[in-house]
Amino acid sequence: MNKYYQKEIDKRRTFGIISHPDAGKTTLTEKLLLFGGAIQQAGAVKARKAARHATSDWMAIEKQRGISVTSSVMKFNYRDFEINLLDTPGHQDFSEDTYRVLTAVDSALMVIDSAKGVETQTRKLMEVCRMRNTPIITFINKLDREGKSPLDILGEIEDKLQIECTPLSWPIGMGKRFRGVYNIFQRKLNLFQPGRQALAQQPIVINDLSDPALDELLHEQADELREDIELIEGASDPFDREQFLKGSQTPIFFGSAINNFGVREMLNAFVELAPHPGLRAAVPRDVSPYEKPFSGFAFKIQANMDPAHRDRIAFVRICSGKFNRGMKVMHHRIGKNVTFANATIFMAQDREHVEEAFPGDIIGIHNHGTIKIGDTFTEKEILKFSGIPNFASEHFRRVRLKNPLKAKHLRKGLIQLAEEGAIQVFRPVLGSDCILGAVGVLQFEVTMARLKAEYGVDAAYEPVDVGVARWIGCDNQKKLSEFEKENRANMAMDAEDCLSFLTTNEWQLEYCMKQWPNEWQLEYCMKQWPEINFFKTREAI
Ligand code: G4P
């Protein structure tokens, strides 16, 4: 393999940011892009977010689509590294897409609000990272405000997220007493100057914490820092790259994104520690990025600007080989050669002049519905990348047609929207109305508006007594049939005819609801049917 190609792979870092809304993902993204020179002024990303969230009205989303297609992948250079930052949609547009983006990254950056600690959305996203043992770097944000004690936050992360923490930086005070962060990794001190762009600021080097210069700089907080460092060096495990790459240890950084403080230290460590594209699981064999033939998979489909043409953009993550504009590849699911002629290559700002892309990069392929999530593309070899699942829905609605003559249109629309990953569709074994499932509630609004605009279907939602869905699998066919028969009222088929189990969340036993929110009946069922497997995800087929 030639050296140029290997170098291109080794310098790539493809990652996503996981956080609960308001932890500071947008602010941090903006600072990262500023460091990378991808944007010139602060406020650019923020403005986009404000526009996107100003309203959840679907027309507004439609207007934003053009922007969000390109901003779904933010590419920038930092030092000698080529960074692909994949956007993980949050807030109202939190959806299955958010989860799926994480199947295309090589690492993740977890942002935690120092006052709030570990929150629900972070926990959910972390579960997805765990499926592929994605390495995670943690940034604890908003140290310029009063928050929980750093040790408590670490304890909470270890407890709630089941990942070992190893601080590589340590805060000196917080809120009004926030003086800066001490970089344990490099033994350098960064003093905090609120409101200043820390782009050009040079850290002070303190090789020895007993240096009296520290007392001059930090006064009484110098001793506090010494005690803290002694404590954590004794109590926490040292950084272990193996453990980090396996996703069982996370290096921790502290800072304040809005003040651009601690961000550069984190980014410097990130590019050095985070892995370049690696081996990808596929059937029948894993694929190395250094292999010469091209391969990749689609992990996200986005409807394009012109709904009349049902034009879609498939986001394809390159796993091996070099992509050249206009190249021919095999589309395995449909068994045809396709030309990636009108691919959008999410490269630097000037997208026109880029003709090639490498493992770790994302390309956007225009298509009219021929590409589904999970599709694999290779030059010749028959392969199927795995680990690009559908995720169990968390919200449900029954969809009822206003005009029964439009049943066919509704079916077609729902099948296509399900293929795009916009919504999940369940057909209950008993009854005729479809039940729609989503990870984020905005998906319902978007689906209804698109059914009307693109398929001429006038329908309405009704609430439905379903709170949990699981795909069902069992090696013992007889047992499965028995289970199906006894639970007919709970059984449904999804858009790809996979057997699913839907169950309610309405339970009087308050205790059980607290212990097992939405899942009490499921737990009960699992005990009754030990041979039946209840899956939270299902591989794309
Ligand atoms: P998100 O994308 O994760 O949802 O969070 P975002 O960056 O939008 O940040 C959420 C709020 O937290 C914003 O305030 C932002 O300014 C603030 N924030 C981000 N980083 C820090 C930090 O280091 N320290 C402090 N004190 N605040 C921070 P907002 O009031 O919602 O918006 P804005 O009026 O500031 O734009």
Side-chain angles (χ1 to χ4, degrees):
M1 183 216 322
N2 84 39
K3 277 214 169 104
Y4 163 70
Y5 178 66
Q6 178 166 359
K7 213 173 139 207
E8 287 296 329
I9 297 170
D10 291 350
K11 69 183 191 184
R12 274 171 169 72
R13 299 289 181 270
T14 301
F15 76 106
I17 301 185
I18 57 175
S19 70
H20 191 84
D22 284 339
K25 184 184 79 152
T26 313
T27 312
L28 184 65
T29 302
E30 190 157 280
K31 303 301 175 201
L32 295 178
L33 296 181
L34 274 171
F35 280 125
I39 52 170
Q40 304 309 325
Q41 77 197 75
V45 182
K46 200 93 198 162
R48 176 175 71 82
K49 175 181 162 177
R52 177 138 53 111
H53 297 296
T55 166
S56 65
D57 174 68
W58 188 71
M59 288 315 286
I61 300 165
E62 175 77 347
K63 272 188 217 141
Q64 290 301 317
R65 269 194 203 171
I67 303 169
S68 65
V69 165
T70 45
S71 57
S72 294
V73 183
M74 287 162 273
K75 188 165 179 83
F76 62 99
N77 304 87
Y78 180 69
R79 292 174 25 193
D80 287 334
F81 297 91
E82 290 275 339
I83 299 175
N84 292 303
L85 170 49
L86 308 197
D87 190 23
T88 46
H91 293 243
Q92 302 103 308
D93 45 3
F94 183 75
S95 67
E96 224 183 324
D97 259 3
T98 313
Y99 288 158
R100 235 183 248 116
V101 163
L102 294 174
T103 66
V105 302
D106 299 313
S107 57
L109 178 60
M110 174 163 76
V111 183
I112 287 185
D113 182 327
S114 68
K116 300 209 175 117
V118 175
E119 298 172 87
T120 36
Q121 212 144 297
T122 316
R123 218 186 300 189
K124 286 185 190 173
L125 291 163
M126 180 77 182
E127 248 180 67
V128 179
C129 287
R130 182 142 288 143
M131 289 167 53
R132 285 182 50 243
N133 296 331
T134 308
I136 292 170
I137 290 184
T138 303
F139 184 75
I140 297 175
N141 192 26
K142 306 196 185 179
L143 263 293
D144 58 315
R145 281 197 188 158
E146 293 302 326
K148 299 184 180 187
S149 94
L151 278 174
D152 285 350
I153 299 176
L154 301 196
E156 204 177 316
I157 295 174
E158 296 204 334
D159 232 37
K160 291 190 178 164
L161 302 178
Q162 294 294 307
I163 189 165
E164 193 182 287
C165 295
T166 177
L168 295 189
S169 83
W170 196 254
I172 305 158
M174 69 168 81
K176 286 200 182 86
R177 291 184 79 239
F178 183 48
R179 297 298 314 277
V181 284
Y182 178 66
N183 187 331
I184 301 174
F185 202 43
Q186 296 178 325
R187 307 216 155 259
K188 280 182 189 163
L189 186 70
N190 264 26
L191 289 188
F192 176 56
Q193 289 167 297
R196 272 198 52 178
Q197 285 284 333
L199 283 170
Q201 204 176 310
Q202 286 306 318
I204 301 161
V205 181
I206 298 276
N207 288 318
D208 183 354
L209 278 181
S210 58
D211 190 337
L214 197 66
D215 299 277
E216 267 169 50
L217 288 165
L218 297 176
H219 310 290
E220 82 285 357
Q221 282 179 274
D223 276 342
E224 285 172 28
L225 174 66
R226 290 183 184 114
E227 279 165 29
D228 280 353
I229 299 293
E230 201 182 315
L231 183 73
I232 53 161
E233 282 187 339
S236 65
D237 290 294
F239 175 67
D240 179 339
R241 190 145 202 242
E242 280 283 287
Q243 296 299 322
F244 161 64
L245 292 179
K246 280 201 305 206
S248 49
Q249 188 189 67
T250 177
I252 308 268
F253 292 85
F254 292 86
S256 164
I258 198 135
N259 292 295
N260 210 347
F261 201 82
V263 178
R264 188 199 284 273
E265 293 68 44
M266 191 271 300
L267 182 58
N268 278 333
F270 175 82
V271 291
E272 280 161 28
L273 301 179
H276 56 69
L279 212 62
R280 278 262 151 187
V283 178
R285 64 175 191 90
D286 293 351
V287 177
S288 155
Y290 302 110
E291 290 175 27
K292 220 165 162 218
F294 171 88
S295 70
F297 65 87
F299 63 94
K300 172 180 164 131
I301 307 281
Q302 186 152 352
N304 205 4
M305 292 296 281
D306 188 353
H309 291 100
R310 305 234 163 88
D311 192 10
R312 307 175 185 178
I313 292 183
F315 287 72
V316 172
R317 144 103 197 199
I318 303 177
C319 298
S320 70
K322 191 171 102 178
F323 168 83
N324 295 303
R325 192 184 289 277
M327 83 186 294
K328 264 203 168 66
V329 294
M330 185 75 185
H331 183 342
H332 290 287
R333 188 176 47 82
I334 59 170
K336 278 191 185 151
N337 270 319
V338 292
T339 306
F340 280 174
N342 49 357
T344 304
I345 309 177
F346 297 107
M347 299 290 277
Q349 287 143 301
D350 186 3
R351 281 186 281 138
E352 291 302 307
H353 296 105
V354 185
E355 295 290 322
E356 52 183 33
F358 294 89
D361 289 340
I362 313 297
I363 48 176
I365 310 291
H366 292 265
N367 69 100
H368 297 287
T370 44
I371 302 180
K372 284 205 303 185
I373 287 164
D375 281 348
T376 297
F377 304 92
T378 69
E379 274 178 42
K380 265 200 215 96
E381 189 183 345
I382 299 177
L383 276 177
K384 171 99 179 84
F385 284 103
S386 46
I388 312 119
N390 293 294
F391 294 88
S393 298
E394 292 163 32
H395 305 276
F396 301 85
R397 302 273 191 281
R398 190 189 303 280
V399 60
R400 185 145 290 165
L401 259 182
K402 287 189 184 156
N403 175 358
L405 294 175
K406 288 277 187 181
K408 242 179 163 173
H409 293 77
L410 174 69
R411 200 160 49 237
K412 187 173 165 205
L414 287 180
I415 288 173
Q416 293 191 350
L417 293 174
E419 274 175 12
E420 257 182 46
I423 200 90
Q424 281 181 20
V425 182
F426 298 97
R427 283 173 290 109
V429 171
L430 303 176
S432 55
D433 293 328
C434 280
I435 293 177
L436 302 191
V439 164
V441 283
L442 186 65
Q443 285 174 260
F444 292 123
E445 206 176 313
V446 172
T447 299
M448 198 49 91
R450 288 188 58 191
L451 280 174
K452 191 159 191 187
E454 296 170 35
Y455 301 89
V457 174
D458 208 2
Y461 288 126
E462 286 178 358
V464 60
D465 199 10
V466 173
V468 182
R470 292 291 182 268
W471 286 283
I472 295 291
C474 184
D475 294 336
N476 181 341
Q477 195 53 46
K478 201 168 144 246
K479 259 277 175 295
L480 186 62
S481 310
E482 226 177 282
F483 176 82
E484 272 187 76
K485 218 164 124 197
E486 209 158 296
N487 294 284
R488 275 174 76 81
N490 297 86
M491 306 311 296
M493 305 307 268
D494 77 0
E496 282 172 323
D497 276 338
C498 293
L499 190 62
S500 315
F501 178 81
L502 309 183
T503 185
T504 177
N505 59 4
E506 280 196 16
W507 284 90
Q508 298 121 337
L509 284 169
E510 231 188 306
Y511 171 78
C512 285
M513 281 175 72
K514 271 186 199 144
Q515 293 294 304
W516 307 101
N518 302 340
E519 298 206 346
W520 189 79
Q521 189 180 358
L522 192 69
E523 286 292 311
Y524 170 76
C525 221
M526 282 158 107
K527 280 187 194 130
Q528 296 295 305
W529 300 91
E531 282 164 293
I532 304 285
N533 295 311
F534 294 77
F535 297 111
K536 255 185 150 170
T537 58
R538 172 175 73 68
E539 273 294 310
I541 47 177

